[in-house]
Amino acid sequence: MSVKWKVFKYLVGFCLMLVGLIWLFQIGLLDVFYRQIRLGGLKRESAGFASALEDSDLTERWETGSKFLILHSDGIGKLMNALELQGDLRVELWSEAQSYVFTGGIWEGQASSQYTFSQKLSYAQAAVEKGGAVYDFTTSESAASGHKREYALCAHVIPARNGDYILMLVDTNLTPVGAAKNALMIQLMIISAFMMIIAAAMAFVIAERVSNPIRQLVSGARDLGRGQYDASFKADDYSEIAELSGELAKTAAELGKTDKLRRELIANVSHDLRTPLTLITGYAEMIRDLPDENTQENMQVIIGETRRLTSLVTGLLDISQLEADTVRWNMQEFNITKETEGVIVRFAEFCKEEGFTIRFAQSGQAWVKADLSRIMQTVYNYITNAINHTGEDKLILVKQYIGKKTVTITVTDTGMGISPQQEPFIWDRYYKASGNHKRNEMGSGLGLSIVKNIMRRHPGASFGVHPGETGGSTFWFSLPLLGEDHSSP
């Protein structure tokens, strides 16, 4: 189900739930609420009457049975005033000897009692057992008309002076709610119909507003999936959607950049592979067809081009493993000064025939804890990069600086330098400082990206470049320095 119709379903369901609750409370539970509310009011009134009668002199005069005394006692006066205000309450005072009935402030006498002797006795006993009061819903039927009367009843027992008790029965009619319920049902049916129409319309509009920016993102994502990296992601109706839109736009830009670099990589690698393969094939065929050409110089060309192919493939494999984080790191303590000197010696022997000069300056022996092979690969890549870009003097300077907590290795060439526009990108994989790719003399062209991945996986390591816009560039890296309590192996 789409977001639009799911939101629509939830909103309509919420409205149905509200309508159902209204029907439940207004129709289904109307009788229950009405009866409980009426009984609660009756409890309060009857408790007040009982308290007034207990505080009056009624219980002292009750045994005389005098109508005059009853009507003019303090408690009866308060009761009469209260009944005049209430109007719908009926009060009966009863003992086994006498009974008085009051309705709406009017004394009706014993003959108007609607309870039988056994009922009164039963209510009195129940009230005593319940601690002085009992509450109930009951009905009575008129002997003359047969009409049933439903009412709420409160029975209180009031102790008399002679050890007897006075039973006070307070009741009120429960108005039939059937007619009112029917009227409410018709009213609620009309209201519910309007509510559902309005709710469905509002739910549809809200669902449309919520789902529209998502549909825009989906459309942009489809374009992105088809390779259109300039796809538009401008849905900003909501903060979460705007954030997602921004992230998708960044992703599209990165994918576009990666796709461009991928195409450049294919072109560059194809160029790098084609040249040595052509040379190897050409020289091999020449040696096969012309036995006199099987010379050391021609074999050296084949060997050199094979090494160049090996270097390119190794670089591609290294960058792939480093970015996939599948490399096993072997952290160990070693003398970085001595190891760097070894790399420089090997380079000097390899490059002296081509006229390159590599100088190394250091002021002491430095020890670090790192992956030896990867750190030396960093030195190798820096020197290879310097050989590929140094000036006509073919001079490369390697220096070691020992600080308080770190040791820094720098490799400087005398080439054309790096422009500020190029500096942020030289560490990216497959990036070429110039759009016109030329075949490297050494290396795979991935060295700086490999350096970045190696350094980022060494705690406390840092790396960078001093561009040297007017000439020459200095690449460097630093590692945490170990103490001086190390001896050479």
Side-chain angles (χ1 to χ4, degrees), residues 9-139:
K9 181 184 73 172
Y10 287 149
L11 290 176
V12 171
F14 178 72
C15 293
L16 285 173
M17 182 186 69
L18 289 181
V19 171
L21 286 175
I22 293 174
W23 275 81
L24 176 64
F25 284 96
Q26 291 293 313
I27 303 300
L29 300 177
L30 179 61
D31 287 336
V32 175
F33 274 98
Y34 171 71
R35 292 162 69 90
Q36 292 300 322
I37 290 171
R38 292 291 289 167
L39 182 61
L42 186 62
K43 286 180 181 180
R44 291 191 298 272
E45 297 298 334
S46 63
F49 296 160
S51 177
L53 292 176
E54 288 176 3
D55 294 340
S56 71
D57 60 351
L58 172 65
T59 56
E60 298 180 0
R61 305 182 183 186
W62 183 261
E63 59 192 40
T64 63
S66 169
K67 170 185 172 183
F68 178 81
L69 292 176
I70 291 294
L71 292 178
H72 291 81
S73 66
D74 294 339
I76 293 299
K78 294 179 181 180
L79 177 60
M80 296 284 284
N81 293 334
L83 289 174
E84 287 178 1
L85 296 176
Q86 294 293 331
D88 61 344
L89 295 181
R90 183 177 181 279
V91 179
E92 181 173 344
L93 302 177
W94 174 86
S95 71
E96 294 185 13
Q98 52 188 309
S99 175
Y100 299 92
V101 178
F102 306 90
T103 301
I106 301 174
W107 177 70
E108 295 184 353
Q110 185 175 1
S112 62
S113 176
Q114 62 185 11
Y115 305 102
T116 64
F117 178 85
S118 61
Q119 285 178 318
K120 296 175 184 177
L121 187 61
S122 175
Y123 283 132
Q125 291 174 349
V128 171
E129 292 175 358
K130 295 290 185 179
V134 67
Y135 311 96
D136 191 17
F137 293 102
T138 185
T139 58

Side-chain angles (χ1 to χ4, degrees), residues 262-277:
R262 178 183 59 82
R263 291 194 298 268
E264 292 179 355
L265 170 68
I266 293 173
N268 294 340
V269 171
S270 298
H271 181 276
D272 286 340
L273 289 175
R274 187 185 302 113
T275 302
L277 286 174

